[in-house]
Amino acid sequence: MSKAIKVGVVLSSGGGRGVFAHTGFLLALEQLGVEIGAIAGCSAGALVGGVYASGTDLQQWADHIANVDTREYWTPDSWSRFIWQMAVRKGRGYTGISDNRAAINFIRSNLASQTFETCPIPFYSLATNLTQGGKTLFSSGDLAPRIMASAAMPVLYRPVEIDGELFSDGATIELAST
């Protein structure tokens, strides 16, 4: 009796290129017949891993991202607001060029399951907890904001608020305490 190969997959950061690379990697595993038993991801890896773990058809996802309009996930501030924040406020309190709501909605619209608990494949997402300091590994709750929390690159996106705490890209480097 032959058993299918079953593996756990960990997907890293990588920005836009990482999204395409991780998608291609998972497509290759699918074509090889490798069954994925669990997925963990950080940043771009959280996005692709979460979409796949939710049960979304991977080829459909690949086709969508190949033709995506940046306005679906990116809503930058106007130049006048940015200049005012930098010149008048000297950047104080400015947390990111783009709000994260469009990105969360983009993620949500590409998920087949909306919570960690309903994913056909167990999924884990790593984010940096800016409120507490350190990393947080999400494994329950609403997927879209927790995936975005892992992918919210500082300066580009504002942090994602979850349960009263602020989170950003899971690949953000921790500063060593002395």
Side-chain angles (χ1 to χ4, degrees), residues 77 80-94:
D77 289 334
S80 59
R81 184 177 192 284
F82 178 76
I83 291 169
W84 182 82
Q85 286 285 349
M86 292 301 125
V88 176
R89 298 197 43 131
K90 297 180 175 51
R92 287 188 292 267
Y94 194 68

Side-chain angles (χ1 to χ4, degrees), residues 1 33 47 49 54 75 78 87 111 118-119 121 161:
M1 171 196 309
L47 173 59
S54 80
T75 53
S78 66
L111 297 172
T118 58
C119 285
I121 300 171
E161 185 175 343

